[in-house]
Amino acid sequence: MENVLSHAQLLAVAEEYGTPLYVYHEDKIVSQYQRLVKAFNNEKVRFFYACKALTNINILKVLKAQGCNIDCSSINEVKLALHVGFDPKNVLYTSNGIDFEEIETARSLGVIINIDSLSNLKKFGQKFGSSYPVGVRLRPNIMAGGNLKISTGHDKSKFGIPVDQLDQLLDIISQHQINITNLHIHTGSDIKDVDVFVKGIEVLFEIIPHFPNLKSIDLGGGFKVAYKEDDPAIDIEALAASVLETFASNELTKDLQIWFEPGKFLVSESGYFVTKVNVLKETSATTFAGVNSGFNHLIRPMFYDAYHRIANLSNPQGEEKEYTITGNICETDTFAWSRPLPEVREGDLLVFYNAGAYGFEMSSNYNSRFKPAEVLITNGSARLIRKRDVFEDLLRGQLVD
Ligand code: PLP
């Protein structure tokens, strides 16, 4: 794996900024983006970073400087994107289940919008008719993604307008002369099978003829990265070849732009979460290593049964033993059960790999604990990009009489 931070670098930043600490490696983000650009090597293809994965504005700036566009999942993400200087025409707002007011705001900000319900599309048509081009998110009824919790395109998913409701969709469009320029699908996260994307395009082949103003097809994100040592990741080069070939194979799609919304692929591997072992507890079932964190900082293992590689930064040559890594909050917050690690001692620093996507971003102040600090490493030097919470942060917004 290229562009990996060494134990020594991680120990040094942890020493300087304390733990728990999120550390991001700019070179890795850039190389992931460049890998996408190189693999597709086609000016019809546009990448929109799905910033829900990690919205620290310093990370957004890194991707903006690369020429990447941005995909947002709330109006506040849209505002963050504009705040860091993205041009509205490079900002995509793919909403779901939102108040129509947010769509109106997005329109007034001039960003690209994907609407995901008949209800909001109707309101959009009533208010704006054909005056503002818009995209629709479709639900292709395809089961894909690492597990059910992160599958979004299947026939019981809340996301998108089901393709079986095409007639109703077309009625609304024709009634209000809505100018549909983009069709969007996103089938899930952790997709390693290139054919899922091809299948998605094939579902759209049937639908595209109904949309004469179409300019782009948005295939969403979901590219799988390796979380375990021997985990298969999506083969980006194979994906590019298949998708480009499928688009070129059909008169309907050959001139359309192809959009993607990668989140995890761009930032997951750039992120490291460093924690300190507070307590060792030997029991008949296992030896617990309790770290100064919990699902308030990294919820993926508990929420999705996600696997994160863990290493003992402080004692890498120690004798291997099994440890169950838990946090310090008042819930069962098991990061890893019976994980072989070099001997762990109280005070040792443990790092969780692949913590860049949906790590800090899903963190909370549960148990009134502080959110961690974030550090960005650029050209070998570390810079604090978010301060660790302090007590006043817990009181912010609370009112007293
Ligand atoms: N696009 C949409 C609409 C999504 O819902 C998501 C993830 O939830 C993404 C893109 C990014 O997915 P990933 O981080 O797996 O690439």
Side-chain angles (χ1 to χ4, degrees), residues 48-175:
F48 295 79
Y49 166 50
C51 71
K52 69 195 79 185
L54 178 60
T55 53
N56 188 299
I57 56 173
N58 297 276
I59 303 295
L60 304 188
K61 284 179 188 166
V62 167
L63 283 158
K64 179 177 171 293
Q66 289 298 308
C68 189
N69 309 291
I70 187 161
D71 172 49
C72 305
S73 55
S74 75
I75 198 67
N76 293 333
E77 285 186 356
V78 168
K79 289 177 183 171
L80 281 175
L82 298 176
H83 173 80
V84 301
F86 278 93
D87 187 321
K89 60 180 189 304
N90 299 330
V91 178
L92 176 58
Y93 181 18
T94 306
S95 60
N96 92 84
I98 59 166
D99 193 304
F100 183 65
E101 227 175 78
E102 281 199 24
I103 295 180
E104 289 179 291
T105 306
R107 181 194 165 275
S108 69
L109 293 171
V111 303
I112 314 165
I113 305 169
N114 283 327
I115 294 182
D116 114 312
S117 67
L118 292 176
S119 155
N120 269 336
L121 187 67
K122 196 166 170 185
K123 290 177 197 159
F124 188 90
Q126 282 163 348
K127 185 126 197 204
F128 304 118
S130 62
S131 67
Y132 197 84
V134 74
V136 283
R137 177 171 185 172
L138 298 172
R139 193 190 74 192
N141 297 343
I142 293 174
M143 179 59 92
N147 62 58
L148 194 56
K149 280 194 183 154
I150 52 175
S151 294
T152 53
H154 58 83
D155 66 0
K156 293 190 180 53
S157 164
K158 70 163 186 168
F159 297 99
I161 299 165
V163 285
D164 41 288
Q165 292 177 2
L166 182 64
D167 288 349
Q168 291 170 60
L169 171 62
L170 294 176
D171 277 352
I172 293 171
I173 291 168
S174 79
Q175 215 178 337

Side-chain angles (χ1 to χ4, degrees), residues 271-273 275 298 308-310 325 335 350-355:
Y272 302 75
F273 182 47
T275 61
L298 178 63
H308 286 266
R309 273 190 310 123
I310 302 172
I325 315 301
F335 289 111
L350 303 187
V351 60
F352 294 76
Y353 290 93
N354 280 64

Side-chain angles (χ1 to χ4, degrees), residues 196-314:
V196 166
F197 291 90
V198 173
K199 230 174 18 183
I201 305 164
E202 285 168 356
V203 168
L204 295 178
F205 279 159
E206 313 259 304
I207 292 169
I208 290 170
H210 299 283
F211 296 87
N213 300 338
L214 219 52
K215 301 229 171 352
S216 51
I217 298 292
D218 178 349
L219 296 171
F223 307 159
K224 184 175 181 348
V225 295
Y227 277 87
K228 294 183 179 161
E229 285 82 353
D230 50 1
D231 230 3
I234 194 164
D235 180 340
I236 285 296
E237 288 71 24
L239 174 76
S242 290
V243 166
L244 291 174
E245 191 188 313
T246 312
F247 266 76
S249 72
N250 195 312
E251 279 301 310
L252 294 169
T253 46
K254 75 178 184 23
D255 295 324
L256 295 179
Q257 285 192 6
I258 308 167
W259 294 359
F260 287 105
E261 302 162 0
K264 211 176 259 184
F265 184 83
L266 291 174
V267 296
S268 172
E269 289 159 301
S270 79
Y272 302 75
F273 182 47
V274 186
T275 61
K276 178 172 73 71
V277 177
N278 282 339
V279 172
L280 282 177
K281 192 183 276 185
E282 300 220 8
T283 72
S284 56
T286 186
T287 300
F288 291 101
V291 298
N292 59 352
S293 183
F295 72 51
N296 48 330
H297 297 156
L298 178 63
I299 200 172
R300 298 189 70 255
M302 303 90 192
F303 198 27
Y304 304 130
D305 293 325
Y307 181 99
H308 286 266
R309 273 190 310 123
I310 302 172
N312 186 349
L313 295 174
S314 310

